[in-house]
Amino acid sequence: IMIMLLATPISGFVARSPFSSRYRRLVVDLSTSSSSLSASSEGPTTGPTTAPEEEEAEAGVKPAAASPPAPAKIQPDILQPFLPASDPMWSVRGPVGEGDFVISREGAPVKEELSNENLLKILMIDCSDLEVNTLVWKCLGYRFNQQNEAWTTEEVFPKWGQKFPTPPDLIGMQRIYSKEVDQPSLKANQALVRSVPVDNKQSLKTHLKPLGFRGYKYAELTPNKTRRAQCANWLLYYREELFGYTLEELQERKRLKREAEAEAEKRQMEEGREPEWKPPVKEVF
């Protein structure tokens, strides 16, 4: 058969043969093999070569699957120092309420400022440190006097006002975390956290999880994010437990709550059960 193929013109053979398609493939294979041998005897070629992947595909061999990329490593969001906040007048002159975050420096807090949607922006870093501070200051009772460019303390919760006669930086607006610079902010934030009763410690999960907030991953935490979360949690506690009540009403509610807790503890002891321990709370009022 090979002699016949080599002696007969391809076109004439293919036209006459009843098995033309079969022999056509054989002729092409033989011609290709012959050309390859000739090229190898003449030396390396300078023309394009077939890529290994293409050869494997032609031979019906599937290339090895590429290994999946390694998951991106979560890095903390490192905030650069913010020097304008070192100006003592920043708390009364810095811009607030110019974006989507609902806040006004003047007046008492309003419901719109305490909505879940607005407080979520604190956690998503969609507002400035000064705006977070300003909202907490208003809820603590500080009131801004625009004429004097100063915060007044007439309406501040008594216990808080005794310790902080001027509104403290609860976030660390300078974003400089040396002990000399950051210690006052850290202490003020800790005092705010201690004023939240244990029953309100999980307010972020209760109120903001339905909006999609799943918390921060440990690897991405920074002092700024941690303090924002603590301020947002306190604001939710304020909205649910303190907002809209007078100081006298809050003190009466506190008295009744203590009496109820004492009665419950007494019943537990009479039944031989250990009273439930709760961490001490240093409320702002």
Side-chain angles (χ1 to χ4, degrees):
I1 295 173
M2 292 178 63
I3 294 173
M4 291 173 62
L5 287 172
L6 294 175
T8 307
I10 294 176
S11 59
F13 176 82
V14 170
R16 294 191 300 271
S17 173
F19 306 101
S20 59
S21 61
R22 178 180 177 184
Y23 287 132
R24 184 186 295 113
R25 289 195 298 271
L26 182 58
V27 170
V28 172
D29 290 342
L30 288 172
S31 301
T32 303
S33 300
S34 177
S35 300
S36 299
L37 290 172
S38 300
S40 62
S41 64
E42 294 173 1
T45 61
T46 58
T49 59
T50 305
E53 293 81 359
E54 296 177 357
E55 293 178 354
E56 291 178 352
E58 292 175 358
V61 179
K62 294 183 178 180
S67 57
K73 186 176 180 181
I74 298 176
Q75 296 290 347
D77 180 16
I78 304 299
L79 296 172
Q80 297 298 321
F82 186 66
L83 298 182
S86 61
D87 183 354
M89 299 300 291
W90 181 252
S91 66
V92 296
R93 294 180 180 174
V96 297
E98 296 182 355
D100 294 333
F101 187 68
V102 182
I103 183 65
S104 172
R105 188 178 272 121
E106 292 79 16
V110 296
K111 291 181 180 180
E112 292 76 13
E113 295 174 332
L114 296 171
S115 69
N116 288 340
E117 292 76 10
N118 205 47
L119 298 184
L120 180 62
K121 294 174 183 176
I122 295 176
L123 304 174
M124 304 308 294
I125 325 294
D126 288 336
C127 59
S128 69
D129 295 345
L130 177 58
E131 289 175 322
V132 180
N133 269 327
T134 300
L135 182 54
V136 179
W137 293 340
K138 291 173 61 174
C139 294
L140 286 167
Y142 298 100
R143 296 292 177 263
F144 181 66
N145 186 314
Q146 187 174 10
Q147 184 177 358
N148 297 332
E149 287 191 320
W151 289 92
T152 63
T153 59
E154 286 80 5
E155 299 181 34
V156 175
F157 290 117
K159 289 186 178 180
W160 182 270
Q162 291 173 5
K163 194 170 185 179
F164 299 99
T166 58
D169 180 3
L170 300 156
I171 299 292
M173 294 188 291
Q174 296 186 55
R175 301 171 190 169
I176 298 174
Y177 300 108
S178 63
K179 183 176 181 180
E180 295 76 13
V181 175
D182 189 58
Q183 190 76 354
S185 294
L186 176 61
K187 294 295 184 182
N189 185 276
Q190 291 173 341
L192 192 73
V193 171
R194 285 194 296 268
S195 72
V196 179
V198 65
D199 295 338
N200 300 92
K201 293 290 187 182
Q202 299 296 321
S203 295
L204 294 180
K205 181 178 180 181
T206 303
H207 297 284
L208 301 187
K209 186 176 180 180
L211 296 183
F213 181 68
R214 295 293 183 268
Y216 297 129
K217 295 183 182 297
Y218 179 80
E220 63 182 2
L221 279 178
T222 64
N224 185 276
K225 287 183 177 180
T226 301
R227 294 174 192 179
R228 280 173 173 264
Q230 291 163 340
C231 286
N233 192 76
W234 185 88
L235 287 166
L236 287 166
Y237 156 66
Y238 169 83
R239 184 188 73 188
E240 298 299 316
E241 302 293 338
L242 309 181
F243 184 53
Y245 293 97
T246 65
L247 179 60
E248 292 74 18
E249 290 172 335
L250 291 174
Q251 291 172 339
E252 179 63 14
R253 291 179 67 201
K254 180 178 180 180
R255 183 186 67 80
L256 295 174
K257 183 178 180 180
R258 285 184 173 179
E259 288 180 356
E261 291 175 347
E263 186 66 25
E265 183 176 341
K266 182 180 178 180
R267 287 196 304 268
Q268 290 174 347
M269 294 181 66
E270 290 174 350
E271 296 171 359
R273 293 184 294 145
E274 189 71 21
E276 181 183 0
W277 181 86
K278 291 185 178 182
V281 179
K282 295 185 178 181
E283 293 169 308
V284 293
F285 57 91

